[in-house]
Amino acid sequence: MTDDLHGRVEPDRAAPLHTAPRGTDYRPRHVAIIMDGNGRWALRRGLPRTVGHRAGVEALRGVVKAAPDLGIKILTCYAFSTENWKRPKDEVDTLMSLLLEYCRLEAENLHRNGVRINAIGRIHELPPAQQQEIARAVALTRGNDRLILNLAVNYGGQAELVDAFRSLAAEVQSGRLAPEAIDAEVVRRHLYTADLPDPDLIIRTAGEMRLSNFLLWQSAYAEIWVTDVYWPDFTREHLEQALRDYARRERRFGAL
């Protein structure tokens, strides 16, 4: 993948906060969301699953609008996984169409509002039209810094690690990297998210208690917040609830 398709960015670095004392108004800088439950939301209403995915796009708009006001600088959203290709063709086609629509229709609005669009995943495996629209949105918004919207598209945590290890192996084979020089920091620099800090908080909707192959390396010390609310019903109020819960937690990163 090219850097243009990665849309890698170098956000402003802040001094690390190793502990968030209970009762403070500390806000996570990087929030990642597993947007789950679109299909179940629709089926409970007697509607096709595809209607739920369209409603999920509306929920995403609301969260993106709210995030900067709540102090969030990076928002990573799990839009389409490497496993989602196994779903019925009409559902996959709908998801691809929604991705195309979102990039085409939202890019200008996001640009006006200072949002920078990123894309991580095996973008080169997407249909050409989707690749082109993602690249256009990334290029258009490249200079913005109010919020980084990091879309995980055709993304899988295991695939990301495979790609990183392949890149490392190529460097070792060429003699540019000694095997003994490989440590956690070197691996991190070969991930899709190399230029982004790890997420502070991962939110999962629809009540499932798993990461589902999302940011496996980066989530090592992320706080996790799960809600039974389906993604199409997720609002700013739910996001604020997650942030309040996060602010009460103490993050020690293995220390006392």
Side-chain angles (χ1 to χ4, degrees):
M1 285 175 285
T2 67
D3 284 342
D4 283 345
L5 292 183
H6 272 293
R8 288 177 172 171
V9 298
E10 184 67 28
D12 295 333
R13 298 294 180 183
L17 291 173
H18 295 294
T19 302
R22 295 185 185 278
T24 69
D25 192 35
Y26 172 60
R27 303 288 182 168
R29 188 160 176 259
H30 182 177
V31 174
I33 305 180
I34 302 173
M35 305 181 294
D36 194 19
N38 293 341
R40 280 170 284 171
W41 179 91
L43 293 175
R44 285 199 169 191
R45 289 162 173 76
L47 302 169
R49 289 175 56 87
T50 53
V51 175
H53 293 307
R54 191 165 291 277
V57 172
E58 292 302 317
L60 176 59
R61 287 191 178 102
V63 169
V64 170
K65 182 178 179 181
D69 296 337
L70 297 173
I72 297 168
K73 298 299 293 182
I74 304 162
L75 186 67
T76 296
C77 295
Y78 205 4
F80 189 88
S81 77
T82 50
E83 289 73 39
N84 285 158
W85 297 108
K86 301 173 186 176
R87 294 189 176 189
K89 184 178 183 301
D90 64 331
E91 186 169 349
V92 171
D93 288 346
T94 295
L95 289 165
M96 287 294 106
S97 295
L98 288 172
L99 173 62
L100 200 63
E101 286 179 28
Y102 187 83
C103 289
R104 282 178 176 168
L105 300 178
E106 290 295 310
E108 293 288 347
N109 181 56
L110 293 171
H111 181 47
R112 285 193 298 271
N113 285 280
V115 177
R116 181 169 186 169
I117 299 173
N118 255 11
I120 60 170
R122 290 179 170 173
I123 308 300
H124 64 284
E125 294 179 351
L126 294 172
Q130 280 73 7
Q131 291 188 48
Q132 292 168 10
E133 285 303 319
I134 289 171
R136 186 186 71 83
V138 167
L140 175 67
T141 62
R142 190 180 304 280
N144 298 333
D145 60 5
R146 186 165 179 254
L147 173 72
I148 298 169
L149 174 58
N150 195 35
L151 297 174
V153 184
N154 195 27
Y155 173 87
Q158 292 178 340
E160 178 178 29
L161 291 173
V162 167
D163 289 346
F165 298 156
R166 284 174 176 169
S167 179
L168 287 165
E171 290 191 26
V172 170
Q173 188 175 37
S174 70
R176 290 179 288 124
L177 179 67
E180 60 271 17
I182 299 174
D183 58 14
E185 177 58 23
V186 171
V187 173
R188 187 194 67 78
R189 291 201 301 265
H190 287 76
L191 299 175
Y192 303 153
T193 57
D195 298 320
L196 298 173
D198 290 343
D200 303 297
L201 173 65
I202 294 178
I203 295 172
R204 178 157 193 159
T205 60
E208 302 293 349
M209 303 292 285
R210 58 178 178 268
L211 287 173
S212 294
N213 202 17
F214 184 52
L215 300 178
L216 297 181
W217 179 282
Q218 299 89 333
S219 65
Y221 282 100
E223 296 295 318
I224 299 175
W225 190 82
V226 177
T227 176
D228 289 333
V229 173
Y230 294 140
W231 175 246
D233 289 329
F234 193 88
T235 65
R236 176 187 177 118
E237 288 69 32
H238 297 110
L239 181 57
E240 290 176 344
Q241 183 181 353
L243 298 185
R244 285 194 298 270
D245 183 79
Y246 175 88
R248 290 193 293 267
R249 301 186 188 185
E250 295 182 9
R251 303 183 73 201
R252 296 191 178 93
F253 298 89
L256 295 178

